[in-house]
Short mmCIF file of all heavy atoms in Angstrom, two decimals:
data_model
loop_
_atom_site.label_atom_id
_atom_site.label_comp_id
_atom_site.label_asym_id
_atom_site.label_seq_id
_atom_site.Cartn_x
_atom_site.Cartn_y
_atom_site.Cartn_z
N VAL A 1402 50.26 11.96 6.56
CA VAL A 1402 51.46 11.36 5.99
C VAL A 1402 51.71 10.01 6.66
O VAL A 1402 51.74 9.91 7.89
CB VAL A 1402 52.67 12.29 6.18
CG1 VAL A 1402 53.95 11.60 5.69
CG2 VAL A 1402 52.46 13.59 5.42
N GLY A 1403 51.87 8.97 5.86
CA GLY A 1403 52.09 7.64 6.40
C GLY A 1403 50.81 6.84 6.61
O GLY A 1403 50.87 5.63 6.82
N GLN A 1404 49.66 7.50 6.55
CA GLN A 1404 48.38 6.78 6.74
C GLN A 1404 47.84 6.22 5.43
O GLN A 1404 47.03 5.30 5.43
CB GLN A 1404 47.34 7.70 7.39
CG GLN A 1404 47.68 8.09 8.81
CD GLN A 1404 46.43 8.40 9.63
OE1 GLN A 1404 45.38 7.83 9.40
NE2 GLN A 1404 46.57 9.29 10.58
N HIS A 1405 48.24 6.84 4.31
CA HIS A 1405 47.74 6.41 3.00
C HIS A 1405 48.75 6.88 1.96
O HIS A 1405 49.40 7.92 2.14
CB HIS A 1405 46.36 7.01 2.72
CG HIS A 1405 45.66 6.43 1.53
ND1 HIS A 1405 45.90 6.88 0.25
CD2 HIS A 1405 44.75 5.42 1.41
CE1 HIS A 1405 45.15 6.20 -0.60
NE2 HIS A 1405 44.46 5.31 0.07
N GLU A 1406 48.85 6.15 0.86
CA GLU A 1406 49.81 6.53 -0.18
C GLU A 1406 49.54 7.92 -0.76
O GLU A 1406 50.47 8.60 -1.21
CB GLU A 1406 49.80 5.49 -1.32
CG GLU A 1406 48.43 5.37 -2.01
CD GLU A 1406 48.52 4.61 -3.33
OE1 GLU A 1406 49.60 4.62 -3.94
OE2 GLU A 1406 47.50 4.04 -3.74
N LEU A 1407 48.30 8.36 -0.71
CA LEU A 1407 47.95 9.66 -1.26
C LEU A 1407 47.90 10.76 -0.19
O LEU A 1407 47.56 11.90 -0.50
CB LEU A 1407 46.58 9.59 -1.98
CG LEU A 1407 46.53 8.69 -3.22
CD1 LEU A 1407 45.12 8.63 -3.77
CD2 LEU A 1407 47.51 9.16 -4.28
N ALA A 1408 48.22 10.39 1.06
CA ALA A 1408 48.23 11.35 2.18
C ALA A 1408 46.93 12.16 2.21
O ALA A 1408 45.85 11.58 2.31
CB ALA A 1408 49.46 12.25 2.08
N GLU A 1409 47.01 13.49 2.08
CA GLU A 1409 45.81 14.33 2.17
C GLU A 1409 44.82 14.07 1.03
O GLU A 1409 43.67 14.48 1.11
CB GLU A 1409 46.19 15.82 2.16
CG GLU A 1409 46.71 16.35 3.48
CD GLU A 1409 48.21 16.25 3.62
OE1 GLU A 1409 48.85 15.64 2.73
OE2 GLU A 1409 48.73 16.75 4.63
N LEU A 1410 45.30 13.40 -0.03
CA LEU A 1410 44.42 13.14 -1.17
C LEU A 1410 43.90 11.70 -1.17
O LEU A 1410 43.49 11.19 -2.22
CB LEU A 1410 45.15 13.44 -2.48
CG LEU A 1410 45.32 14.94 -2.76
CD1 LEU A 1410 46.10 15.16 -4.05
CD2 LEU A 1410 43.97 15.63 -2.85
N ALA A 1411 43.91 11.07 -0.02
CA ALA A 1411 43.25 9.77 0.11
C ALA A 1411 41.75 9.95 -0.10
O ALA A 1411 41.23 11.07 -0.01
CB ALA A 1411 43.52 9.19 1.50
N PRO A 1412 41.00 8.87 -0.39
CA PRO A 1412 39.55 9.00 -0.51
C PRO A 1412 38.94 9.65 0.73
O PRO A 1412 39.48 9.56 1.84
CB PRO A 1412 39.09 7.54 -0.65
CG PRO A 1412 40.24 6.87 -1.33
CD PRO A 1412 41.47 7.51 -0.73
N ARG A 1413 37.81 10.30 0.55
CA ARG A 1413 37.23 11.14 1.58
C ARG A 1413 36.93 10.42 2.89
O ARG A 1413 37.09 10.98 3.97
CB ARG A 1413 35.96 11.81 1.05
CG ARG A 1413 36.25 12.89 0.04
CD ARG A 1413 35.00 13.53 -0.49
NE ARG A 1413 35.34 14.62 -1.40
CZ ARG A 1413 34.45 15.32 -2.10
NH1 ARG A 1413 33.18 15.02 -2.00
NH2 ARG A 1413 34.85 16.29 -2.89
N ASP A 1414 36.47 9.18 2.79
CA ASP A 1414 36.15 8.47 4.03
C ASP A 1414 37.39 8.27 4.88
O ASP A 1414 37.36 8.39 6.11
CB ASP A 1414 35.48 7.13 3.72
CG ASP A 1414 36.38 6.17 2.95
OD1 ASP A 1414 36.94 6.60 1.92
OD2 ASP A 1414 36.53 5.02 3.37
N ILE A 1415 38.53 8.00 4.24
CA ILE A 1415 39.77 7.79 4.96
C ILE A 1415 40.25 9.08 5.63
O ILE A 1415 40.67 9.09 6.79
CB ILE A 1415 40.84 7.22 4.01
CG1 ILE A 1415 40.43 5.83 3.55
CG2 ILE A 1415 42.22 7.20 4.67
CD1 ILE A 1415 41.31 5.24 2.46
N VAL A 1416 40.13 10.18 4.90
CA VAL A 1416 40.57 11.47 5.45
C VAL A 1416 39.64 11.90 6.60
O VAL A 1416 40.09 12.36 7.65
CB VAL A 1416 40.61 12.55 4.37
CG1 VAL A 1416 41.05 13.90 4.96
CG2 VAL A 1416 41.57 12.15 3.25
N ALA A 1417 38.34 11.74 6.41
CA ALA A 1417 37.39 12.13 7.46
C ALA A 1417 37.64 11.32 8.73
O ALA A 1417 37.63 11.88 9.85
CB ALA A 1417 35.96 11.95 6.97
#
Side-chain angles (χ1 to χ4, degrees):
V1402 175
Q1404 293 207 31
H1405 191 276
E1406 61 166 334
L1407 296 176
E1409 282 90 354
L1410 286 178
R1413 288 180 176 175
D1414 63 309
I1415 294 172
V1416 179

